Amino acid sequence: MNLPVTDLSFRLTAPPDIASPEWQRLFDHIALGAAERERDRILPFEAIDLLRSARFGALRLRKEDGGAGASFRELYAIAIRLAAADANVAHIFRNHFTVAEQYARTPYDAQGRAWQAQVRDGAIFGLASTETGANPAGGTRPDTLLTPDGEGFRLDGVKFYSTGTLYADAVLVRAADAERRLASVIIPVKREGIEILDDWDGAGQRLTASGTTRYTHVRVEAVEAVFDVPGRGYGLSYSNTQAQLFLTSVVAGIARGALDEAVALLKRRQRSFYYAHTPRPADDLLLQQAIGQLAANAFAAEATVLAAADALDRTGAARDRGEPDGVLAADAALAAAQAKIVVDDLALRSGSLLFEAGGASATERRYNLDRHWRNARTIASHNPVSYKAQAIGALLVNGTPLPDKGFF
């Protein structure tokens, strides 16, 4: 019987080393009860605390800064393994790695060094960027306002899709001042005036707390507001590519999770169809074929993500050396967009195909096997493949650059 994650004494004993076999031991522990948590809507605070204590969020920090020095390829490979265990938990960290990459990994000032120290010590960052207002297509100007208040500011606004913020220690809020200058405001989630609502009711990713955050006259110190400038934070070329590829790695993990569930299902299955070729389901060639197809889907999804990660690593290496990164960043954005198109399709097909290894009894709610398809469909829907494919076609046929903002 699967049990919920409740044993907070289950912690990694070593610093965050990307090659440590203890990571998989931790992920296997988190996988226990994942289906029940999602089915019964038990928020995974315990699992997040385990990853916080293991300093999972510090993987991308350099070793000399207290992290694991992970490349993007290594980060996405381990994110796929976590997502195979629990796609909700992996998704919660997507925004953390966005904030940590842009404002903590290579700090520009004392405040950046303070954020880096928080990441090193296990702090988790959320993100609140999207609003539900009727902005025109391509609009990036938030209605969330940053107004002067003494030597600092006050923040007022409402955000949606604040994924992971309910579990976080701090949150990055996108805002604009009276002159419509864009800024990233990074503040503790416990600060007065911040309200985090667990009102996400999507069909999938039910535990990511991807709902509303409200900011009412929240105090913001001057150093906590980072205004956009070229080459920093959101001013980087294709600044959102690493976040998009992290999300695709979660989808690849869902394909892996569907395979793992199908294998376990076929191994424990006793009854089969009356017209089956063999009395024992595990010996049925057709059911074995379904497992083989699921395995191929999971392999191809992971390989595709890691190939795109290599392009992102080339961009990151150039930035670390202080070299021009425009062409490399555009190449990485193209690779990530192409990866999404392929991986989404593979995961959605796997979420359905796993039932071929089970039959009608596999659809019982107690097993909650439909969560794999629902989770993949939910993630894929917020960033439609059709727009990615069209943009790639326009690039290849007419030389139209990919959009530099938003979901690229």
Side-chain angles (χ1 to χ4, degrees):
M1 181 176 67
N2 287 340
L3 299 174
V5 177
T6 56
D7 182 8
L8 293 185
S9 67
F10 187 99
R11 301 180 186 277
L12 293 190
T13 58
D17 187 301
I18 195 70
S20 172
E22 287 194 300
W23 286 116
Q24 190 59 52
R25 191 167 67 92
L26 176 57
F27 299 159
D28 290 344
H29 186 70
I30 289 172
L32 298 176
E36 290 85 353
R37 288 196 299 273
E38 204 268 1
R39 183 194 64 206
D40 300 335
R41 209 169 185 286
I42 301 171
L43 298 178
F45 283 106
E46 294 92 344
I48 299 302
D49 284 342
L50 289 172
L51 289 162
R52 180 187 279 108
S53 69
R55 294 186 289 155
F56 179 76
L59 287 174
R60 277 283 293 162
L61 295 187
R62 297 182 178 93
K63 290 185 177 181
E64 57 266 32
D65 296 322
S71 66
F72 280 115
R73 182 185 181 91
E74 291 170 327
L75 173 64
Y76 296 130
I78 202 168
I80 289 170
R81 289 157 57 194
L82 176 57
D86 190 320
N88 285 275
V89 172
H91 190 176
I92 287 165
F93 278 88
R94 178 239 191 169
N95 286 334
H96 165 83
F97 282 106
T98 299
V99 179
E101 189 69 27
Q102 294 184 0
Y103 296 98
R105 182 174 174 272
T106 53
Y108 295 91
D109 52 25
Q111 184 59 47
R113 289 189 290 275
W115 287 326
Q116 183 187 76
Q118 292 174 35
V119 172
R120 178 199 65 212
D121 294 339
I124 298 172
F125 286 76
L127 178 67
S129 178
T130 304
E131 299 172 356
T132 57
N135 283 333
T140 59
R141 299 288 177 180
D143 291 329
T144 300
L145 295 178
L146 195 60
T147 56
D149 180 49
E151 295 183 356
F153 305 92
R154 293 286 176 174
L155 181 71
D156 293 273
V158 180
K159 298 288 189 178
F160 199 62
Y161 298 121
S162 307
T163 301
T165 301
L166 183 67
Y167 308 95
D169 302 286
V171 59
L172 185 154
V173 185
R174 292 292 285 167
D177 66 7
E179 299 176 2
R180 307 306 291 167
R181 293 185 302 161
L182 295 174
S184 294
V185 175
I186 304 177
I187 49 179
V189 296
K190 299 296 186 182
R191 186 162 292 175
E192 183 179 359
I194 298 178
E195 183 181 12
I196 304 173
L197 304 179
D198 181 25
D199 58 351
W200 168 247
D201 66 348
Q205 296 301 95
R206 294 173 172 176
L207 307 181
T208 57
S210 298
T212 302
T213 50
R214 293 197 179 104
Y215 306 89
T216 305
H217 215 47
V218 178
R219 174 66 185 177
V220 177
E221 303 302 330
V223 294
E224 296 173 326
V226 183
F227 286 89
D228 289 4
V229 293
R232 181 181 181 186
Y234 280 77
L236 289 168
S237 296
Y238 295 100
S239 62
N240 208 26
T241 300
Q242 61 90 18
Q244 294 306 308
L245 191 55
F246 189 94
L247 203 55
T248 301
S249 75
V250 176
V251 178
I254 291 171
R256 172 65 60 179
L259 167 64
D260 293 343
E261 293 261 29
V263 170
L265 172 62
L266 187 52
K267 284 183 175 180
R268 70 172 181 262
R269 186 175 171 185
Q270 299 299 316
R271 297 173 61 252
S272 191
F273 306 106
Y274 74 90
Y275 43 78
H277 298 138
T278 61
R280 182 171 175 263
D283 296 327
D284 191 312
L285 299 182
L286 292 178
L287 301 183
Q288 291 173 357
Q289 188 274 338
I291 298 296
Q293 184 62 60
L294 284 162
N297 289 355
F299 172 82
E302 179 169 359
T304 301
V305 168
L306 298 184
D310 288 340
L312 196 55
D313 272 323
R314 290 190 286 273
T315 306
R319 287 173 176 167
D320 287 347
R321 294 190 299 265
E323 298 173 358
D325 65 351
V327 173
L328 290 172
D331 289 344
L334 174 60
Q338 292 174 141
K340 174 186 166 54
I341 293 171
V342 172
V343 173
D344 281 1
D345 180 60
L346 290 171
L348 287 168
R349 281 194 277 154
S350 290
S352 178
L353 182 60
L354 79 89
F355 289 97
E356 295 296 322
S361 61
T363 67
E364 292 182 28
R365 288 291 296 134
R366 60 175 171 150
Y367 297 124
N368 197 25
L369 295 180
D370 64 304
R371 75 186 188 280
H372 299 292
W373 185 91
R374 289 187 290 100
N375 289 338
R377 182 67 269 174
T378 298
I379 294 175
S381 296
H382 100 292
N383 181 6
V385 160
S386 55
Y387 284 92
K388 294 279 181 138
Q390 182 278 322
I392 293 168
L395 169 67
L396 297 179
V397 175
N398 297 322
T400 306
L402 296 178
D404 192 13
K405 301 299 180 184
F407 296 121
F408 288 87

